[in-house]
Amino acid sequence: MVVAAEQIRNLNKYERSILLALERGMKRYSWVPLEHLRAATKLSESEVNYRLSRLIAWGMVRFNPVPYDGYALVFGGYDTLALTALTQKGTLSALGSLIGEGKESVVYEALSLGPVAIKFHRVGQRSFSSARINREYMEEGHCPWLVASKKSAEREYLALKTLHPVVSVPLPIAQNRHAVVMSLVDGGVLNRTPLETPEKTLDEILENVRKAYAAGVIHSDLSEYNILVENGRCVLIDWPQWIGTDHPNAEAIAGRDIDNILAFFRRKYKIRRDREVALQWVIG
């Protein structure tokens, strides 16, 4: 859950400096030593301890006493840094209610010049080892959850910028740390949305997959769970795991995406399409 807006508004400049110092320090440490925080912020020990106690109470920082007194930024603190930066830039003016939650992200409604969505990536909050294995863009060595989540957000934002508006994806607006701001899609998930013309919808999805492939992008995790239907139009979402068409396994991975979509329409609407014909049409 994102930290309460009131706590973000009440954040003292010293507390923000500690959050920033933790963010930098976690590139070197799993648990940032108290001495490092004192040196980085140039605050007294009593001041640092007081501010840390508040940040811990607000769910922004975690403390670990073994083998030394160390502190780590957790998602509440990382959310706070991202929201503060986006607000200062004028990208966001308010945060709304939760509208979606997946294995590695949460999505909130927010307000910019109009309604938007903000997606906070949460890579590894359930299984970081699995995330490291399954994401080829993860670096070897020390890569804490927060860094991995930032990389995930950067990749999704790059995919959206590459594909929009040729492919039906949300409009990318901004990205900061592990957060991506995009246009709000007012629609339901494909697997829970009754379709009046399922054949036409299947054609539309395959056409968008084909256009993405032509742009050099393969979703690599496409299914009925990350396609939204807005006023009869399909919108493909959740792009952090995309790969390029120059990947050595590009055809197989594109085929897996198509398999998932064809299986859904076959199961729910009894529509049968030849898998090889669909794949060859997509990859051209």
Side-chain angles (χ1 to χ4, degrees), residues 1-13 15-16 19 54-55 58 60 75-88 92 94-95 118 120:
M1 182 176 180
V2 172
V3 172
E6 182 180 357
Q7 292 172 346
I8 296 175
R9 284 194 297 268
N10 293 336
L11 201 67
N12 181 279
K13 65 178 182 179
E15 291 154 357
R16 184 169 183 271
L19 292 179
R54 284 164 57 90
L55 294 170
W58 290 341
M60 299 181 187
F75 280 119
Y78 210 37
D79 295 344
T80 298
L81 288 175
L83 286 168
T84 300
L86 290 165
T87 301
Q88 289 175 343
L92 295 181
L95 184 68
I118 179 168
F120 297 94

Side-chain angles (χ1 to χ4, degrees), residues 32 53 67 110 137-138 162 168 179 194 219:
V32 182
S53 67
Y137 60 85
M138 295 298 181
T162 301
S168 183
H219 189 288

Side-chain angles (χ1 to χ4, degrees), residues 22 24-33 36 68 71 142 144:
L22 281 169
R24 293 189 297 269
M26 288 183 68
K27 295 175 182 178
R28 295 178 52 197
Y29 303 99
S30 295
W31 296 93
V32 182
H36 178 93
Y68 56 83
Y71 298 83
H142 184 70

Side-chain angles (χ1 to χ4, degrees), residues 9-274:
R9 284 194 297 268
N10 293 336
L11 201 67
N12 181 279
K13 65 178 182 179
Y14 295 153
E15 291 154 357
R16 184 169 183 271
S17 70
I18 290 173
L19 292 179
L20 290 169
L22 281 169
E23 180 184 25
R24 293 189 297 269
M26 288 183 68
K27 295 175 182 178
R28 295 178 52 197
Y29 303 99
S30 295
W31 296 93
V32 182
L34 179 61
E35 295 77 12
H36 178 93
L37 292 176
R38 288 179 56 197
T41 59
K42 297 181 171 56
L43 298 174
S44 67
E45 182 174 355
S46 60
E47 188 70 49
V48 171
N49 284 329
Y50 171 66
R51 300 299 172 184
L52 281 169
S53 67
R54 284 164 57 90
L55 294 170
I56 291 169
W58 290 341
M60 299 181 187
V61 172
R62 185 173 297 156
F63 170 65
N64 181 40
V66 179
Y68 56 83
D69 284 359
Y71 298 83
L73 193 65
V74 294
F75 280 119
Y78 210 37
D79 295 344
T80 298
L81 288 175
L83 286 168
T84 300
L86 290 165
T87 301
Q88 289 175 343
K89 292 177 181 177
T91 305
L92 295 181
S93 58
L95 184 68
S97 58
L98 178 71
I99 57 175
E101 185 170 5
K103 295 188 298 293
E104 296 185 345
S105 66
V106 291
V107 184
Y108 283 77
E109 189 172 359
L111 190 63
S112 182
L113 296 177
V116 296
I118 179 168
K119 178 178 180 178
F120 297 94
H121 288 244
R122 297 274 197 268
V123 176
Q125 67 173 349
R126 289 186 173 91
S127 176
F128 184 67
S129 296
S130 174
R132 188 194 294 274
I133 292 169
N134 294 329
R135 303 293 180 92
E136 292 189 0
Y137 60 85
M138 295 298 181
E139 295 178 357
E140 293 296 327
H142 184 70
C143 185
W145 299 354
L146 305 182
V147 176
S149 296
K150 179 182 178 182
K151 288 179 179 291
S152 180
E154 289 171 342
R155 281 190 60 85
E156 178 155 41
Y157 187 63
L158 176 59
L160 295 180
K161 287 200 302 179
T162 301
L163 297 175
H164 190 275
V166 175
V167 180
S168 183
V169 298
L171 167 68
I173 297 171
Q175 179 257 323
N176 187 278
R177 295 174 171 87
H178 65 318
V180 179
V181 182
M182 63 191 85
S183 59
L184 180 66
V185 180
D186 187 15
V189 181
L190 176 63
N191 75 311
R192 295 198 300 266
T193 303
L195 301 176
E196 294 182 5
T197 55
E199 289 264 10
K200 182 179 178 181
T201 300
L202 174 55
D203 288 339
E204 180 187 345
I205 293 169
L206 292 176
E207 175 67 17
N208 277 288
V209 174
R210 182 171 183 258
K211 289 178 178 178
Y213 195 93
V217 176
I218 300 170
H219 189 288
S220 91
D221 190 36
L222 191 63
S223 72
E224 64 271 23
Y225 300 103
N226 44 35
I227 298 174
L228 301 180
V229 181
E230 180 184 45
N231 299 322
R233 175 180 73 101
C234 289
V235 183
L236 280 57
I237 62 171
D238 293 339
W239 290 87
Q241 295 189 63
W242 71 273
I243 64 166
T245 52
D246 58 349
H247 190 282
N249 297 322
E251 184 172 332
I253 294 171
R256 186 180 63 197
D257 281 353
I258 292 171
D259 288 340
N260 291 339
I261 298 304
L262 295 183
F264 168 74
F265 279 90
R266 183 171 60 250
R267 182 173 64 252
K268 187 163 186 177
Y269 296 102
K270 313 306 178 186
I271 296 173
R272 295 186 178 276
R273 295 283 179 89
D274 186 279

